Amino acid sequence: MKLSDRITRIPDPEGNAWALFDRAREMQAQGIDVTILSIGDHDERTPDLLLDRMYNATRAGNTGYAPLMGSADLRQAIAERVSRTTGSPTAPRQVAVTPGGQMALFNAFLAVLDPGDHAVIVDPYYATYPLTVRAAGGVPVTARADPDRGFQIDLDSLAAAADGARALLINSPNNPTGAVYSRQTLEGIAEIVRTNDLWLISDEVYDSQVWDGHHLSPRALPGLAERTILIGSLSKSHRMTGSRVGWLVGPDALVDALPDLAVASTYGIPGFIQEAALHALRHGQEVEADVHATYARRRNLAIAALAGANRIRLSPPQGAMYVMLDIRATGCTAQDFARELLEEDHIAVMPGDGFGRSARGHLRIALTVEDERLRRALLQIRKRADS
Ligand code: PLP
C-alpha cells in the first residue's frame, strides 16, 4: 500500500542527522562506555521537587483528560513569564500549552502554512526544523548565517529567501550555534517580516540561557506581536525534557483555532504534568538558576580546555547549552572526524552537516555530561585534531 507523499517527504534527503547518535546508543548497549555529547538532554534528571508534585497529583486523582489548551492557572503562569521575558504584555488566552516546544513548532506551521507554502529557516538550524516544515506540508527554504561572522543572520540572504514566503522561523539563543541576536539584527529581521507580510515564529526555548548580552524577543518590537508566534518550553530551563511541556503564544485568532488541532491530535498534555509545570513556574527559581549555573560553568570550561588549540577554533557561544567547534583547519570533514572520534575514542558529537550547509566543517558539542568527563573529552578531541 502506498504511504502519503506528506509522510514520505518528511526525512532529510541529505541523510539522518542522528545516525551517529544512534550508533553511539548501539555501542552503549554493547557495554561500551561512550561519552555522549550529541544530544541536548541534561545529565541531571528532573528534580525531586517537580517529580513529587507529579506523583502527588496522580495520587490526588489528576489522571483524567485535562484542559486541552492547559489549565487556567498554567496559562496564567506562562503568560506572566512571557510578559516578563519579552517585555510584551501577554494574556492567558494567547497561550496554548503543548507537548513540548517541538509540538508548538508543528502546531505553528500547521496553523499558518498551506500545502506548498515556503517557510524560511536560518542555516545552521535545529535539525528538526526542515522536517517539521515538511510534515506540515510546507517547503523549507534557507537563509544563511555565516560561521565567519559569529553565525549572525545574513539579512541579504534572508531578504532573498523571504520573497514569496509565508513564514520565517528564527531561534535566539540559537541551537546549534550559540548566537544571540542583537537588537539591530532583530530590527533588520522585523523589517523583512513586515515588508514580506510574513508570520514570524520565534523559538525561544533557550531564553534563560544567555551568557553574553541579553535575550530579546521580537514579540516586543513595534507591530510584531500580531504576527509573531513565540515558542517556549520547560525542557531546557527546568530539566523537564521527558515531561513534554511547551507552549505557543500568538495572536488571539490563531490561539482560538488551536483547540480543534488538539482534538484532532494530542488531546492536550496530562493534568499531573500540568501541575508539575505550574509548580516549576511558581516555585522552580532555584532549579532554573542551577541549570543556568551548570551550563555557564561548562561553557567556560570548554573555552579554557580548547584555548590555544592549533586546529580547532571555538567562538564563545553567547547562549544555549552547546559549543560549536570549527575544525576546518584539520582538513577532515565533520562526518569523518565525528565517525573516527566515536569508533576510536568513544566520544559522540554531532557533525555540523546535520544542521545545514553553513555548519559544515564544525562539530556541535552538547555540554551535557559532568564537568570532568567533559574536560577529558574536549582534551581528547583537541589531541585528535592537532595530531
Ligand atoms: N527548539 C530548539 C532550538 C531545540 O533545541 C529543542 C530541543 O532540543 C526544541 C525546540 C524542542 O524542545 P522540547 O520539545 O523538548 O521543548
Side-chain angles (χ1 to χ4, degrees), residues 40-275:
D41 201 354
H42 314 277
D43 48 316
E44 292 177 57
R45 301 288 83 193
T46 305
D48 286 348
L49 171 80
L50 305 178
L51 295 181
D52 289 347
R53 195 67 182 201
M54 262 178 232
Y55 177 75
N56 292 338
T58 61
R59 299 304 300 194
N62 196 350
T63 54
Y65 294 122
L68 282 184
M69 292 290 97
S71 68
D73 288 351
L74 182 54
R75 294 174 85 186
Q76 171 74 37
I78 293 169
E80 284 167 16
R81 181 185 176 91
V82 171
S83 301
R84 199 176 64 244
T85 57
T86 64
S88 169
T90 301
R93 68 163 294 195
Q94 297 174 314
V95 175
V97 178
T98 57
Q102 182 57 43
M103 192 64 184
L105 284 164
F106 188 42
N107 279 358
F109 283 121
L110 282 174
V112 304
L113 296 182
D114 284 318
D117 278 346
H118 285 191
V120 184
I121 58 177
V122 182
D123 171 358
Y125 41 76
Y126 173 46
T128 68
Y129 286 176
L131 283 72
T132 312
V133 171
R134 284 193 292 267
V139 178
V141 291
T142 52
R144 248 175 82 75
D146 189 344
D148 297 317
R149 289 198 200 146
F151 285 112
Q152 286 291 325
I153 188 167
D154 174 343
L155 292 177
D156 290 336
S157 152
L158 176 58
D163 187 15
R166 178 66 66 93
L168 162 65
L169 169 57
I170 60 169
N171 170 223
S172 171
N174 189 274
N175 174 16
T177 68
V180 170
Y181 292 167
S182 64
R183 179 170 297 279
Q184 199 187 358
T185 301
L186 284 175
E187 281 170 357
I189 292 171
E191 180 63 30
I192 292 170
V193 163
R194 282 189 288 258
T195 310
N196 292 276
D197 195 20
L198 301 180
W199 281 99
L200 177 61
I201 302 173
S202 180
D203 180 346
E204 302 181 22
V205 303
Y206 295 101
D207 63 354
S208 60
Q209 297 182 7
V210 178
W211 322 128
D212 190 6
H214 300 284
H215 172 66
L216 294 171
S217 172
R219 187 171 155 77
L221 296 183
L224 245 61
E226 68 218 40
R227 55 172 73 242
T228 299
I229 306 174
L230 180 148
I231 309 295
S233 169
L234 293 180
S235 288
K236 310 298 175 171
S237 57
H238 289 75
R239 298 197 175 106
M240 290 185 78
T241 45
S243 299
R244 316 304 304 130
V245 190
W247 56 83
L248 173 163
V249 172
D252 296 356
L254 182 136
V255 175
D256 287 351
L258 293 178
D260 293 330
L261 205 47
V263 166
S265 56
T266 60
Y267 232 87
I269 73 167
F272 53 91
I273 301 278
Q274 295 195 34
E275 283 200 39

Side-chain angles (χ1 to χ4, degrees), residues 15-47:
N16 174 6
W18 282 280
L20 275 182
F21 177 59
D22 295 344
R23 169 74 188 132
R25 283 274 199 246
E26 200 180 285
M27 288 167 73
Q28 275 187 327
Q30 290 161 1
I32 301 171
D33 182 19
V34 184
T35 301
I36 302 228
L37 303 175
S38 42
I39 183 162
D41 201 354
H42 314 277
D43 48 316
E44 292 177 57
R45 301 288 83 193
T46 305

Side-chain angles (χ1 to χ4, degrees), residues 312-367:
I312 296 186
R313 203 164 57 88
L314 183 163
S315 309
Q318 295 169 281
M321 52 205 266
Y322 313 92
V323 291
M324 279 287 255
L325 308 187
D326 179 349
I327 58 154
R328 287 175 289 182
T330 63
C332 280
T333 66
Q335 282 287 350
D336 287 348
F337 193 99
R339 202 171 304 116
E340 284 172 23
L341 188 67
L342 178 58
E343 297 300 335
E344 293 170 21
D345 297 330
H346 302 163
I347 298 170
V349 299
M350 282 288 259
D353 318 46
F355 305 104
R357 286 160 195 245
S358 302
R360 283 187 177 158
H362 289 73
L363 304 175
R364 191 202 67 173
I365 310 287
L367 303 171

